[in-house]
Amino acid sequence: MAELNLKQITDKLNEEFTSEERRLIFWYDDNAEFSEEIDNIELINAKVLRLEKDNQLYIKYFLEVEDKETSYLVYAPFPKPDIRENHLADTIHYSREFFVDRASLICADLNIADEYKPIIQKYVKFFAAQERLQRFYAIDVSEHDRLSIETTLISLPGLQAGRQ
């Protein structure tokens, strides 16, 4: 997934940080797919803070005692730990989580409601081919629902959505 557009990710994050009040956003990157690119993300109203498996308590102290003013994207290049092993679980509870995957980006680009993300996820391999993705984007659908998404997929010329 490293081919996901870094600009899209940056834009989406900057939208999250437009508020004047402090925001904390946690991004658990399960496979560390953006570990190298995270330093290239330019956030307008926030800073990037790297979370490591062995610095959770320090990050908690930093966010809740040392710097209570600045907005942060807390980036973790590993899967979210189990709640019993996650010292930041309460902080995450009152903050937000950020997810990046192909289905989420497609939904965001086409203004597809979150409730229909599982449908896009079901056909995510179909969207791996750039030609298919471009053809799907080119079809102008005013409102997306399950029927319109699946109808669009099967109506693409020369492509069969069912064959992934």
Side-chain angles (χ1 to χ4, degrees), residues 70-81:
T70 308
S71 292
Y72 284 98
L73 169 65
V74 181
Y75 175 79
F78 52 87
K80 184 177 177 181

Side-chain angles (χ1 to χ4, degrees), residues 13-150:
L13 284 167
N14 278 322
E15 283 177 28
E16 295 287 334
F17 287 114
T18 56
S19 172
E20 291 295 319
E21 63 186 53
R22 180 183 191 225
R23 290 202 129 173
L24 300 176
I25 298 178
F26 287 81
W27 177 7
Y28 285 94
D29 184 5
D30 293 0
N31 299 314
E33 294 177 71
F34 294 94
S35 184
E36 292 178 19
E37 289 91 351
I38 194 69
D39 296 327
N40 298 327
I41 290 182
E42 295 181 26
L43 299 176
I44 296 170
N45 294 323
K47 296 179 181 178
V48 176
L49 191 59
R50 272 189 185 261
L51 179 64
E52 301 297 333
K53 290 182 180 182
D54 62 351
N55 74 346
Q56 289 186 52
L57 287 175
Y58 169 73
I59 296 296
K60 183 175 185 71
Y61 175 80
F62 179 80
L63 292 173
E64 296 187 9
V65 176
E66 285 187 20
D67 187 355
K68 297 193 272 185
E69 303 293 321
T70 308
S71 292
Y72 284 98
L73 169 65
V74 181
Y75 175 79
F78 52 87
K80 184 177 177 181
D82 182 67
I83 195 163
R84 285 175 260 143
E85 298 170 9
N86 192 344
H87 301 292
L88 291 161
D90 60 332
T91 307
I92 293 169
H93 182 73
Y94 71 77
S95 302
R96 294 187 61 130
E97 285 189 75
F98 180 73
F99 302 96
V100 173
D101 56 68
R102 185 175 296 281
S104 295
L105 289 175
I106 292 168
C107 289
D109 280 351
L110 296 172
N111 294 321
I112 296 174
D114 285 342
E115 67 186 285
Y116 301 115
K117 182 180 166 190
I119 299 165
I120 298 297
Q121 186 63 46
K122 178 179 176 182
Y123 298 103
V124 77
K125 288 182 183 179
F126 173 84
F127 293 110
Q130 194 62 32
E131 178 188 2
R132 292 178 189 158
L133 184 62
Q134 288 173 347
R135 286 186 180 180
F136 187 85
Y137 275 45
I139 296 176
D140 187 27
V141 177
S142 59
E143 280 195 42
H144 293 278
D145 59 16
R146 179 184 188 92
L147 182 62
S148 71
I149 293 167
E150 290 183 338

